[in-house]
Amino acid sequence: MMTEPVKISDAEWEVMRVLWTVKAATAHEIAEILGDKMDWKLATVKTLLGRLSKKEVIRSEAEGKKFIYYPNVSETATVRSATENLFSHICAKKIGVTIADLINEAELTAADIAAINTALLAKTPVASIACNCIPGQCECSQHQVKINH
Ligand SMILES: [Zn+2]
Ligand SMILES: [Zn+2]
């Protein structure tokens, strides 16, 4: 489990997805897998691996002359952290409608819908949600600011 949210760039996500899938790989192997999709040089992959190592979301072990890279965090935890990070950019009061909107937009199987229904049925509603915004970043009644142009 990650203690604080780690921000992973779009390019870094590409590398993480490979490591989550293959479990262990050298920079060369990752470059080969991503070759067609990303059109990256080996140096690019090595730069991304360096950044991911610094963020401690991957680790490496020397094996002879080469390094083998392994994911240090699970895909589920990382996706959850990215979602929480996204939700931290919107008013707490808007999270519910945002989730409803995401469901509207998503293609879902019967199993997906069943899983969402189960999650909803387990949910205990709260009476109200407090706005966590500052004045001028939210249009709710407590936080309206008048701007005179
Ligand atoms: Zn708000
Ligand atoms: Zn507000």
Side-chain angles (χ1 to χ4, degrees):
M1 219 190 90
M2 286 187 292
T3 46
E4 56 184 79
V6 176
K7 288 190 183 145
I8 296 174
S9 72
D10 289 349
E12 290 163 4
W13 272 101
E14 297 292 336
V15 174
M16 289 310 292
R17 288 187 64 185
V18 173
L19 285 177
W20 283 322
T21 305
V22 302
K23 317 290 186 218
T26 63
H28 230 107
E29 289 162 343
I30 295 167
E32 207 142 275
I33 289 168
L34 291 173
D36 289 337
K37 185 179 180 186
M38 303 309 294
D39 196 26
W40 286 341
K41 293 187 185 116
L42 181 60
T44 309
V45 171
K46 284 185 172 170
T47 301
L48 293 169
L49 286 167
R51 287 184 198 154
L52 290 165
S53 298
K54 219 171 166 186
K55 294 177 186 180
E56 295 180 346
V57 292
I58 63 169
R59 64 180 193 280
S60 60
E61 278 166 30
E63 212 180 83
K65 277 183 179 173
K66 56 191 178 182
F67 281 99
I68 318 263
Y69 294 88
Y70 303 87
N72 240 356
V73 290
S74 75
E75 181 169 16
T76 310
T78 311
V79 169
R80 178 169 298 166
S81 169
T83 311
E84 281 167 7
N85 179 45
L86 170 72
F87 282 174
S88 76
H89 294 304
I90 59 174
C91 176
K93 295 168 95 96
K94 287 183 185 164
I95 288 177
V97 288
T98 305
I99 292 169
D101 190 45
L102 288 172
I103 291 171
N104 277 332
E105 291 296 314
E107 275 192 282
L108 301 167
T109 64
D112 295 329
I113 293 166
I116 293 166
N117 278 332
T118 304
L120 283 175
L121 288 172
K123 210 71 195 164
T124 309
V126 294
S128 67
I129 294 166
C131 169
N132 56 345
C133 308
I134 59 159
Q137 284 198 327
C138 176
E139 65 269 6
C140 85
S141 54
Q142 308 114 274
H143 288 131
Q144 277 166 358
V145 284
K146 300 265 173 292
I147 297 175
N148 300 310
H149 297 283

